Amino acid sequence: MQQDKDNKGSMTVAEAGRKGGETVRNERGREFYETIGRKGGATVKAERGRSFYEEIGRKGGETVKAERGAKFYEEIGKKGGDRVKATRGPNFYEEIGRKGGQKVKKLIEEGKRAARAAMEKQEAAGAAPAAPEEPASAAAPPSEPGPGRTE
């Protein structure tokens, strides 16, 4: 019982940590925490690899889904989308969609170039290139006229 009287008025560890964190934030600013968080994350990534973050993210997501349900993700996704729309404007989504489309177009072009180079290399080595197969619908005309089609 004497121990309780000695601790009367003292802080818990959580309270002391919160008070210390607020003091540091007030003295050094929020950016300080962002910087040390980035450094710590880079260190953990170097030690444990990217898969560590993938694993803990998956586990955390499964836990949240079990506790709150899949509908929770719909709600927070909508809130996040609305916030982005409010801060960046509706044209933001058009811009990132266009950029994404350009990236896909570039990747397709690179893939086609790589395929042509591989075929040329194969031809140069003396092997006959494999002819691309046409889908059955493209190989034979339809037996019956379709809408707007006459024979």
Side-chain angles (χ1 to χ4, degrees):
M1 201 63 128
Q2 182 64 26
Q3 227 176 4
D4 289 341
K5 288 184 180 180
D6 292 340
N7 291 333
K8 192 173 184 178
S10 63
M11 286 186 259
T12 65
V13 173
E15 290 168 334
R18 190 175 311 107
K19 186 175 179 182
E22 289 171 358
T23 301
V24 171
R25 183 195 63 212
N26 293 339
E27 289 175 359
R28 296 188 179 207
R30 182 178 170 202
E31 297 80 22
F32 171 74
Y33 283 109
E34 292 174 3
T35 302
I36 64 172
R38 236 180 267 108
K39 287 180 180 178
T43 301
V44 171
K45 183 179 175 186
E47 291 174 356
R48 298 184 179 208
R50 178 183 171 152
S51 61
F52 171 74
Y53 284 110
E54 292 172 359
E55 182 183 341
I56 63 173
R58 183 184 46 75
K59 285 180 179 178
E62 288 172 358
T63 301
V64 170
K65 184 178 176 184
E67 291 174 355
R68 298 183 179 214
K71 190 88 173 156
F72 171 73
Y73 287 108
E74 291 178 32
E75 293 168 5
I76 63 173
K78 174 131 179 54
K79 286 180 183 179
D82 291 344
R83 173 72 58 94
V84 169
K85 185 178 178 182
T87 57
R88 296 184 177 227
N91 294 338
F92 173 72
Y93 288 108
E94 292 176 19
E95 292 171 23
I96 63 173
R98 197 174 309 107
K99 287 179 181 177
Q102 291 169 352
K103 177 73 171 175
V104 169
K105 182 180 177 182
K106 180 182 172 191
L107 291 171
I108 290 171
E109 289 171 358
E110 289 174 4
K112 287 179 179 179
R113 276 195 295 274
R116 277 194 297 271
M119 286 184 70
E120 290 171 4
K121 185 177 178 181
Q122 194 176 25
E123 287 174 357
E133 293 183 26
E134 287 189 33
S137 61
S143 57
E144 296 180 23
R149 227 182 116 143
T150 58
E151 289 201 22

